[in-house]
Amino acid sequence: MNKVILMGRLTRDPEIRYGGQDNQMAIARFSLAVDRRFKRAGDSADADFFNCTAFGKQAEFVERYLKQGTKILLSGRVQNDNYTNKEGQKVYSVQIIAEELEFAESKNASANNQNMGGGYAAPAGRPSPAAAVGDGFMNIPDGVDDVDLPFN
C-alpha cells in the first residue's frame, strides 16, 4: 500500500499548466511545508518540505483556491522521480501525488494568520470557500457554479 497523509502550508503559489491530450488536463505543482512534531537532537530543521503534484479536478481546485501560506490536508501517494543526469550520476527524488485535498483551517483562521505576518488571505476578485455552518453544510462562495469540491 502506498498512502501518505500530510498537513502543512504551501511555501509558494502553485504553478499551473495544461497537458495531456489536446492540452486539456490541468497539472498543478506546489511545495508543502510540514511541521515536525518533535525536534531531534542536533537537527536544526523544524519542518520538512515536499514537492506535490495534482492532476485534473484536483489541479483545478488548487489553481482556484490555494496560494502561498494556505494550510491544507493532503492525502495521496509517494512516487519516485529517479533519473540519471548528464554527468551519468543517479539522482534520487520523490514527489507526492495528491489524490485528495481539503482546507485545514477556517477562512477566519487563515485571515488571522495573514494579519500576523504569514498564511493565506484570498486575493481580490478570487472567491474563498466559507467555513461550514452549524448544520455541517459547506457554504460555496458567490460566483462559484458547478464545482466538484474534493472534500465533499
Side-chain angles (χ1 to χ4, degrees), residues 16-150:
I16 311 297
R17 65 181 178 88
Y18 288 84
Q21 293 179 351
D22 301 325
N23 290 329
Q24 296 296 316
M25 184 191 314
I27 302 167
R29 296 183 188 276
F30 55 96
S31 177
L32 198 61
V34 178
D35 290 333
R36 291 185 178 171
R37 277 194 170 191
F38 305 103
K39 190 173 180 179
R40 295 181 187 150
D43 194 354
S44 62
D46 293 332
D48 292 302
F49 299 88
F50 298 96
N51 292 320
C52 304
T53 304
F55 297 95
K57 295 278 187 189
Q58 295 293 341
E60 292 170 13
F61 174 82
V62 169
E63 178 179 32
R64 188 166 195 162
Y65 295 110
L66 305 186
K67 66 172 275 175
Q68 181 178 355
T70 306
K71 188 173 186 180
I72 63 168
L73 181 64
L74 176 153
S75 67
R77 68 182 193 276
V78 178
Q79 181 173 299
N80 288 320
D81 280 340
N82 303 336
Y83 64 95
T84 304
N85 65 16
K86 292 178 182 177
E87 291 80 35
Q89 299 169 326
K90 188 76 172 176
V91 178
Y92 298 94
S93 67
V94 296
Q95 71 171 323
I96 308 300
I97 304 299
E99 295 171 348
E100 296 179 56
L101 296 166
E102 59 183 86
F103 293 100
E105 66 186 355
S106 71
K107 182 178 175 182
N108 290 337
S110 293
N112 288 339
N113 190 39
Q114 180 68 24
N115 292 337
M116 294 172 57
Y120 170 78
R126 180 188 251 182
S128 294
V133 293
D135 60 6
F137 289 93
M138 184 65 86
N139 290 323
I140 304 299
D142 291 338
V144 177
D145 296 324
D146 195 33
V147 174
D148 183 21
L149 298 174

